[in-house]
Amino acid sequence: MSVELRTQCVHVNLAGRSYDIKIGRGEAYSALQEIKKLAPKSRMMIVTDETVLKIHNATVVAIFGIENVETYCYVVPPGEASKSWTQLGVVVEHIIEKKFERGDIIIAFGGGVIGDLTGFAASMVRRGVRFVQIPTTLLAQVDSSVGGKTGINSPQGKNLIGAFYQPILVLADTALLDTLPIREMRAGYAEVVKYGLIDKPEFFDWLEAGAWKGIFSGGPEREEAVRISCEAKAAIVARDETETGDRALLNLGHTFGHALEQAVNYDSKRLVHGEGVAIGMSLAHRFSHKLGLISGQDVTRVTKHLDDVGLPTRLQQIKGGVGTADSLLQAMYQDKKVTRGKLNFILTKGIGKSFIARDIEPSSVIEFLKHELRAD
Ligand SMILES: NC(=O)c1ccc[n+]([C@@H]2O[C@H](COP(=O)([O-])OP(=O)(O)OC[C@H]3O[C@@H](n4cnc5c(N)ncnc54)[C@H](O)[C@@H]3O)[C@@H](O)[C@H]2O)c1
Ligand SMILES: [Zn+2]
């Protein structure tokens, strides 16, 4: 696959709620003009976290500099803990206090936490204020900023409170990722690999053959991978916006992954979302092998690639343990991926051949997890 460096655009086709994703290096600056076009004489509220504000202050200042637009900024603490009732309430009240109307614009400038929290807040104020995403993590550029899932966590489980609320524009400036800590870059990369493993075997081949190095180092492969990932997600979302069918494929690795995140109490020192997804995808492939669906060679290819980039692939790599097979299964039942009490798993018949498996027997999951917890 040859790669050309230029600004690219992916369209998310959702009838009246369609929007563009602009992808390019330095795009955030040029795209400010686009936001300006969307918001003549309106107000803007940037919601970001302390870390992003400190590192990318110049972009925030540039947004503030847009002529004839009244701009505000609200800053939340970084980390998953901000996807809470408390922060949601504070952000919503802040927007209302500044008298924002539906035609004004709320900008989520940050990672998936900021996008999920801000999008949910924007969906609530006056039943929906316009919302733009400027994602600053790889995970947010390839996944969370696209598709309109917004929300917060409940003490009883992740993302259990939320709404489908589409942005009007997504600006993915890949230069913003140059400052990402390597651990966050890897975590986002897990979601990139996910698209290959769902239904793009040639994309997985390309990543595995070395494109991953360019993604990490800021080569043109980065824009290409963001584009392919956004196209993959946009296509699935256009078919099934509210996850009544195919969209569930995007949960590959997430049924296990979310249970692991809950098992460590969302403690990012022990596990971040993308790491949970990497272990979850490895488990999904090994579970599929145990069920006789996929060859051992394919499982080895997947886990070796994740290992090569430095992502975890085994439960033992999570410091402090993750409880028992039973407690993990209980956590999976709390997750949204349950229909009338039956567990839905994304399993696979090979690299890029994932499918939705309904009615998985809990006993086979328990047996598999017991084996995984014992394995060295
Ligand atoms: N809505 C969806 O469809 C969807 C999909 C996938 C994940 N998610 C959610 O996304 C969240 C994870 O997102 P995330 O991994 O982006 O986490 P995050 O938002 O917590 O960001 C990770 C860390 O990186 C920092 N950071 C962000 N941008 C930076 C930059 N450019 N340079 C340096 N540091 C930077 C942040 O301050 C934070 O500490 C989870 O809550 C997950 O549930 C949502
Ligand atoms: Zn994810």
Side-chain angles (χ1 to χ4, degrees):
M1 205 185 302
S2 74
V3 175
E4 206 183 308
L5 187 60
R6 63 191 159 85
T7 299
Q8 316 196 50
C9 181
V10 174
H11 187 66
V12 185
N13 200 354
L14 289 168
R17 294 175 312 290
S18 299
Y19 55 96
D20 285 336
I21 307 164
K22 298 277 168 73
I23 303 157
R25 190 161 259 281
E27 184 65 19
Y29 288 96
S30 51
L32 291 178
Q33 296 313 315
E34 305 245 355
I35 304 187
K36 192 176 164 184
K37 272 188 254 154
L38 292 170
K41 299 204 194 81
S42 58
R43 295 139 167 265
M44 280 186 209
M45 166 95 58
I46 304 161
V47 181
T48 187
D49 75 33
E50 288 154 7
T51 308
V52 176
L53 181 64
K54 208 183 309 165
I55 300 177
H56 291 291
N57 198 29
T59 306
V60 175
V61 170
I63 298 173
F64 267 95
I66 302 177
E67 288 160 20
N68 300 324
V69 180
E70 215 177 299
T71 316
Y72 302 88
C73 185
Y74 191 76
V75 188
V76 302
E80 189 69 31
S82 284
K83 275 175 58 173
S84 65
W85 283 117
T86 309
Q87 283 304 330
L88 179 70
V90 179
V91 172
V92 163
E93 290 300 333
H94 194 73
I95 299 169
I96 296 172
E97 191 189 304
K98 298 294 177 206
K99 303 196 167 32
F100 268 59
E101 295 174 10
R102 285 183 179 166
D104 293 329
I105 292 186
I106 314 283
I107 301 175
F109 182 58
V113 165
I114 290 298
D116 284 9
L117 172 71
T118 309
F120 193 28
S123 78
M124 290 178 157
V125 175
R126 297 176 187 268
R127 298 196 178 81
V129 179
R130 293 194 299 170
F131 158 56
V132 170
Q133 292 257 24
I134 307 183
T136 65
T137 62
L138 180 60
L139 184 139
Q141 293 196 353
V142 299
D143 192 351
S144 61
S145 67
V146 178
K149 276 193 183 177
T150 70
I152 57 170
N153 301 324
S154 151
Q156 301 190 56
K158 204 171 145 67
N159 297 331
L160 288 179
I161 307 141
F164 287 99
Y165 191 62
Q166 301 292 344
I168 56 169
L169 178 69
V170 181
L171 303 170
D173 178 350
T174 54
L176 294 170
L177 308 184
D178 291 346
T179 58
L180 263 191
I182 181 70
R183 189 172 171 214
E184 297 297 343
M185 186 64 96
R186 286 182 183 131
Y189 183 75
E191 305 276 11
V192 174
V193 173
K194 179 184 79 177
Y195 295 109
L197 296 177
I198 291 173
D199 61 358
K200 297 199 163 16
E202 69 296 341
F203 184 48
F204 182 83
D205 294 347
W206 179 68
L207 296 169
E208 186 190 36
W212 68 273
K213 292 181 187 148
I215 297 170
F216 280 59
S217 66
E221 293 85 355
R222 189 184 281 173
E223 284 82 64
E224 191 67 359
V226 173
R227 178 185 65 79
I228 294 170
S229 302
C230 287
E231 275 175 2
K233 183 152 184 187
I236 292 182
V237 168
R239 286 206 297 275
D240 177 22
E241 185 180 4
T242 55
E243 201 169 311
T244 51
D246 263 14
R247 186 167 178 162
L249 286 168
L250 295 170
N251 296 328
L252 175 63
H254 285 63
T255 308
F256 287 121
H258 282 169
L260 299 175
E261 281 185 272
Q262 203 188 331
V264 303
N265 219 358
Y266 307 115
D267 179 355
S268 60
K269 290 196 196 78
R270 294 173 66 197
L271 191 78
V272 293
H273 177 76
E275 292 167 346
V277 172
I279 298 177
M281 291 192 299
S282 307
L283 291 173
H285 280 72
R286 289 201 287 275
F287 189 38
S288 300
H289 181 54
K290 193 162 196 291
L291 297 174
L293 294 165
I294 176 176
S295 74
Q297 287 99 308
D298 278 353
V299 178
T300 305
R301 259 185 87 190
V302 172
T303 45
K304 181 176 182 314
H305 181 53
L306 295 172
D307 271 343
D308 284 349
V309 305
L311 278 162
T313 57
R314 299 201 160 269
L315 297 174
Q316 286 76 7
Q317 287 167 278
I318 303 172
K319 286 194 196 98
V322 289
T324 63
D326 288 297
S327 63
L328 286 173
L329 186 74
Q330 282 317 310
M332 287 183 216
Y333 272 108
Q334 287 287 355
D335 201 41
K336 300 178 304 305
K337 291 138 197 79
V338 167
T339 318
R340 287 182 213 90
K342 296 278 186 192
L343 276 175
N344 294 337
F345 270 93
I346 309 306
L347 297 180
T348 181
K349 294 179 180 155
I351 288 175
K353 292 184 187 155
S354 295
F355 66 99
I356 304 167
R358 306 196 192 276
D359 294 5
I360 292 291
E361 281 301 327
S363 57
S364 64
V365 182
I366 288 278
E367 195 195 323
F368 169 70
L369 284 173
K370 279 186 176 160
H371 175 77
E372 287 286 325
L373 284 163
R374 272 196 310 269
D376 289 320

